[in-house]
């Protein structure tokens, strides 16, 4: 998955001078960053943010600029070229920004470049559900071959690390402070979309009473994601002749992207069925995550209702 994230910008490495000229004419650094988490609903959040007339989110969604191993070498001008200088709030969403211990130093690079104007949003979800979705995504994409229990109970795996939200958030809390880090959950966005988006808009410093009929759209969900068509397409876009489609999908007009979304993920069918975890396995996973969840809830100032403590 990481190699694919870097490959998406291979063409832009060949045209850096063009991007630099564009940055000089119209680019600007962002002031709103969604840092994850992976499989927590950041694609939907990115789209909801972009609906607001005072916010312009990047295309593509995941620039991964502050990851040294991915796109940091492309430079600030390249990064700025993805944002509209005329927009009061400019943002991007890259879940790899919360991928410790694999990618270190992200918060420091971000704070050094963006300064005191930047605000950071961290979207989380039930950590055991996130682990399961992460595993199923990797299996579907051909990245994972281990049995479910073996993969999820490996304490050194990305499944565990990326569900330790407090650990992932700590560098951002240290660098930006609690007043510039907003933590929201997928569950909150699901059951109270307008209210949750109101809090995000207020945090971003734009009119908080904005709403849209497109709030009903949920991206990258649905039973289609577990079907053969999705798996075939996920593998197909890694073929040399189709890599341009993978790189440029986020640059398509919103209406066209939604048509593809409906075709591939079939969101109207509801969430895809997932295997039930055995009680003893769920208890083992809860034991790996319990202390981290307690710390996250202290930092956020509320209980997310995940019942990890009782698992």
């Amino acid at each position: 998955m990481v190699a694919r994230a870097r490959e998406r910008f291979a063409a832009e490495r060949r045209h850096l001078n063009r991007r630099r000229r564009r940055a000089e004419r119209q680019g600007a650094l962002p002031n709103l960053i969604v840092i994850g988490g992976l499989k927590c609903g950041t694609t939907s959040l990115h789209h909801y943010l972009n609906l607001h007339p005072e916010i312009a989110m990047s295309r593509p969604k995941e620039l991964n600029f502050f990851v040294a191993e991915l796109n940091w070498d492309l430079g600030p001008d390249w990064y700025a070229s993805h944002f509209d200088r005329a927009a009061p709030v400019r943002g991007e969403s890259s879940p790899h920004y919360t991928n410790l211990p694999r990618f270190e130093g992200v918060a420091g690079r971000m704070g050094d470049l963006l300064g005191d104007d930047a605000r950071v949003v961290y979207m989380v979800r039930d950590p055991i559900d996130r682990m399961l979705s992460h595993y199923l995504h990797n299996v579907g994409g051909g990245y994972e071959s281990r049995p479910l229990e073996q993969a999820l109970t490996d304490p050194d795996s990305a499944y565990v690390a990326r569900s330790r939200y407090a650990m992932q958030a700590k560098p951002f809390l240290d660098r930006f402070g609690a007043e510039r880090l907003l933590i929201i959950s997928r569950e909150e966005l699901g059951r109270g979309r307008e209210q949750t988006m109101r809090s995000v808009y207020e945090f971003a410093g734009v009119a908080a009473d904005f709403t849209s009929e497109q709030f009903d759209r949920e991206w990258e969900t649905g039973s289609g994601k577990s079907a053969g068509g999705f798996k075939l397409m996920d593998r197909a876009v890694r073929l040399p002749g189709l890599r341009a489609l993978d790189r440029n999908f986020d640059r398509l007009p919103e209406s066209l992207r939604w048509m593809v979304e409906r075709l591939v993920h079939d969101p109207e069918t509801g969430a895809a069925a997932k295997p039930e975890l055995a009680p003893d396995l769920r208890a083992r996973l809860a034991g790996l995550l319990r202390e981290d969840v307690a710390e996250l809830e202290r930092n956020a100032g509320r209980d997310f209702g995940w019942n990890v403590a009782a698992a």
Side-chain angles (χ1 to χ4, degrees):
M1 290 177 68
V2 172
R4 182 174 168 188
R6 184 175 174 85
E7 169 63 25
R8 282 176 171 162
F9 294 95
E12 301 202 18
R13 285 184 161 77
R14 296 192 292 270
H15 302 288
L16 274 180
N17 287 335
R18 185 186 307 169
R19 278 287 182 181
R20 290 190 180 106
R21 290 193 296 270
R22 179 180 172 184
E24 291 172 359
R25 293 195 309 270
Q26 64 190 64
L29 291 172
N31 48 22
L32 182 69
I33 311 292
V34 179
I35 58 172
L38 182 70
K39 312 306 297 178
C40 290
T42 59
T43 299
S44 291
L45 178 62
H46 187 91
H47 284 279
Y48 301 153
L49 285 165
N50 199 50
L51 293 171
H52 198 290
E54 299 176 77
I55 301 176
M57 300 298 287
S58 66
R59 292 186 183 181
K61 168 200 167 201
E62 299 180 19
L63 297 177
N64 293 312
F65 176 64
F66 296 105
V67 178
E69 296 86 341
L70 292 177
N71 291 331
W72 181 247
D73 63 310
L74 292 172
D77 288 341
W78 171 88
Y79 188 49
S81 72
H82 291 86
F83 303 100
D84 182 358
R85 181 180 296 172
V89 175
R90 304 167 298 278
E92 62 127 326
S93 307
S94 296
H96 276 311
Y97 292 160
T98 46
N99 191 357
L100 292 171
R102 183 165 192 173
F103 297 142
E104 301 274 357
V106 170
R109 293 184 203 100
M110 189 180 295
D112 290 346
L113 182 65
L114 303 184
D116 294 336
D117 292 335
R119 295 183 179 275
V120 177
V121 178
Y122 190 20
M123 190 167 180
V124 297
R125 69 184 286 193
D126 181 298
I128 297 177
D129 288 351
R130 196 217 66 80
M131 292 175 71
L132 183 57
S133 289
H134 188 176
Y135 173 81
L136 294 175
H137 178 91
N138 283 356
V139 170
Y143 307 111
E144 178 63 83
S145 59
R146 291 176 294 175
L148 184 147
E149 182 169 353
Q150 178 185 345
L152 296 193
T153 56
D154 177 359
D156 298 321
S157 71
Y159 302 117
V160 175
R162 298 190 76 165
S163 279
R164 284 180 168 149
Y165 304 128
M167 180 267 287
Q168 299 288 351
K170 188 178 186 306
F172 296 92
L173 276 171
D174 291 345
R175 184 63 179 82
F176 293 95
E179 69 280 359
R180 288 198 286 147
L181 173 65
L182 177 67
I183 301 172
I184 63 171
S185 75
R186 177 176 174 171
E187 294 85 358
E188 291 169 337
L189 189 65
R191 64 176 177 258
R193 189 149 306 153
E194 289 194 12
Q195 179 180 352
T196 302
M197 289 310 303
R198 191 178 303 120
S199 69
V200 177
Y201 290 146
E202 183 176 1
F203 174 76
V206 297
D209 58 354
F210 173 80
T211 188
S212 170
E213 61 183 16
Q214 293 187 37
F215 281 174
D216 290 338
R217 296 180 178 180
E218 293 190 32
W219 294 75
E220 296 194 358
T221 62
S223 60
K225 193 149 189 176
S226 62
F230 167 76
K231 296 175 182 178
L232 179 63
M233 182 169 285
D234 189 69
R235 288 177 169 89
V237 295
R238 285 180 256 158
L239 298 174
L242 294 176
R243 285 174 181 167
L245 175 63
D246 188 36
R247 289 196 300 267
N248 294 308
F249 175 74
D250 280 353
R251 297 179 174 91
L252 297 175
E254 181 92 3
S255 58
L256 183 55
R257 282 181 290 159
W258 182 244
M259 289 176 59
V260 176
E261 175 74 14
R262 294 179 67 184
L263 175 66
V264 175
H265 294 128
D266 197 11
E268 294 179 1
T269 63
K274 294 182 174 63
E276 286 289 330
L277 298 180
D280 61 332
L281 174 56
R282 180 169 284 275
R284 290 172 65 190
L285 298 178
L288 293 172
L289 301 166
R290 188 170 295 120
E291 291 184 6
D292 186 272
V293 168
E295 182 179 350
L296 179 78
E297 291 179 339
R298 287 193 298 270
N299 292 336
R302 63 191 185 279
D303 185 334
F304 289 107
W306 293 327
N307 296 321
V308 171

